[in-house]
Amino acid sequence: MNPKRTFLALSALSLALALAPAAWAHKPDAPSLDTVFLFNPVQLEAPESIAISPSGDIFISLALTGEIRRIAPDGTQSTVAMLPIGPPLTICGPFFNAVTGITLDPHGDLFVSVVSCELEHRGIWKVSQDGSAEILATLPLASIPNGIAVRQGWVYVADSSQPFVWRVPVEGGDAEVWLDSPLLAGVFSPGLPLPGANGLQVFRGEVYVSNSTQGTILAIPIEPDGSAGTPRIHGVMPEGTGGDDFAFDVHGSLYCTTDPTNLLVRMDPDGSTHILLTDQDGLDGPTSATFGRTGEDRFNLYINNGAFPFFSTTHRPSLMRLHLDVQGAPPNW
């Protein structure tokens, strides 16, 4: 038996058993939803993270191939960069290789978390507007860099296998552990790779991090000297689910994807949660979400469905768009 396939099968089964929710009731009055684009599962196109520019360009990281793809407002697609992760679905370190989180800075440059099997390429990358790519900082094999955000000259990165948030200067340099906390911990044992820190966003002077294993959203103040303040639990996800990536609206509610449990959950500022979408709406491994940036598009929440081959049963990777009655929060650069 192929050991890689066995590992992935066991991992998927363990994760499904650990996170499997009860039968979720479909919300009949869900806002309007449409599919913007379908990806090709045969070519291992699994959309992981998303960023949208003020001009309406949509940038997608395709986790299993290392590609960063641009979808222009007219639907034209192009490859921005191919990042060196190694052969697809190769186990190295705690889990398989991938390109995970992406984010834009105010200049239109992309910052990317790269889980490469080549140690000299594993870490945080910058992809400039012209498509040139450079590594800013390497991270150890034990790390899985994932959710990522830029603020005031620093790149903040969630580590899904170690209880860390890393910080890297935007111009490059050594990565430092900005926060080490048991509130960020996951469970990464053989056959049961459950991410700890996963999605990461900056909102109103705090770094927010989802913990997939613990089912929590953490808020970490950024102190005046740039250090991490005392983390607190901002809210708890519905029982049996763990958050992946998320996006904030202007009122402070966040919209969190849950990947294998196929939910989109709104968490309000008081920590209360509301299930907006389920697999009945077409979710297939939702991995990330972000709002449009200009005009009426600010009311649209874009959702990636990764449909990873070891989780999905419908194998329908896609980009969906949910129209809401509230605008997304502007970037916290």
Side-chain angles (χ1 to χ4, degrees):
M1 183 175 291
N2 185 311
K4 180 168 70 178
R5 290 181 180 176
T6 301
F7 176 88
L8 292 174
L10 289 173
S11 299
L13 177 60
S14 300
L15 186 54
L17 291 174
L19 294 181
W24 299 109
H26 175 60
K27 186 177 177 63
D29 58 346
S32 61
L33 178 71
D34 64 298
T35 298
V36 178
F37 184 75
L38 290 172
F39 295 89
N40 189 343
V42 176
Q43 296 180 2
L44 294 179
E45 292 182 354
E48 166 69 12
S49 189
I50 182 171
I52 300 179
S53 73
S55 63
D57 286 317
I58 299 172
F59 297 90
I60 303 279
S61 63
L62 296 177
L64 304 181
T65 64
E67 180 184 359
I68 306 295
R69 184 175 297 180
R70 177 194 286 113
I71 303 175
D74 64 1
T76 303
Q77 296 184 54
S78 58
T79 298
V80 177
M82 291 293 298
L83 296 169
I85 64 172
L89 291 174
T90 300
I91 305 300
C92 50
F95 207 41
F96 62 83
N97 54 343
V99 57
T100 54
I102 61 173
T103 192
L104 282 164
D105 74 1
H107 309 294
D109 296 322
L110 286 162
F111 292 80
V112 188
S113 294
V114 177
V115 189
S116 177
C117 285
E118 302 167 355
L119 285 181
E120 67 272 24
H121 297 147
R122 192 182 189 97
I124 310 308
W125 286 68
K126 176 182 177 180
V127 179
S128 299
Q129 294 183 63
D130 61 5
S132 60
E134 60 176 327
I135 189 165
L136 300 180
T138 58
L139 291 174
L141 184 62
S143 292
I144 296 183
N146 202 335
I148 186 169
V150 174
R151 182 180 186 270
Q152 295 184 0
W154 294 96
V155 186
Y156 296 87
V157 181
D159 191 326
S160 288
S161 60
Q162 300 185 109
F164 301 159
V165 171
W166 296 89
R167 189 173 74 159
V168 178
V170 292
E171 67 273 11
D174 292 337
E176 64 180 27
V177 175
W178 184 68
L179 179 68
D180 178 352
S181 170
L183 294 176
L184 297 169
V187 179
F188 256 87
S189 58
L192 186 65
L194 299 181
N198 197 331
L200 184 150
Q201 301 291 338
V202 178
F203 182 70
R204 294 178 181 170
E206 295 185 295
V207 173
Y208 285 76
V209 182
S210 61
N211 186 312
S212 299
T213 295
Q214 299 185 35
T216 54
I217 304 291
L218 305 180
I220 309 152
I222 302 174
E223 299 293 350
D225 64 357
S227 63
T230 302
R232 71 179 190 280
I233 295 177
H234 173 70
V236 178
M237 294 290 288
E239 184 177 0
T241 70
D244 199 321
D245 192 23
F246 51 94
F248 281 94
D249 69 24
V250 291
H251 302 306
S253 293
L254 63 86
Y255 300 77
C256 192
T257 59
T258 66
D259 200 353
T261 52
N262 290 324
L263 300 177
L264 177 70
V265 176
R266 189 187 78 220
M267 180 179 290
D268 291 332
D270 63 0
S272 61
T273 58
H274 311 269
I275 295 169
L276 299 185
L277 299 174
T278 73
D279 56 357
Q280 297 177 47
D281 300 291
L283 295 185
D284 188 357
T287 54
S288 57
T290 196
F291 280 91
R293 293 284 307 281
T294 55
E296 288 299 308
D297 203 34
R298 291 175 295 176
F299 292 88
N300 290 323
L301 183 72
Y302 291 82
I303 304 160
N304 269 335
N305 285 297
F308 285 96
F310 37 85
F311 289 145
S312 177
T313 58
T314 58
H315 304 290
R316 195 173 185 269
S318 67
L319 175 64
M320 303 180 84
R321 178 173 52 208
L322 177 67
H323 186 74
L324 299 170
D325 60 1
V326 62
Q327 297 179 31
N332 280 252
W333 289 320

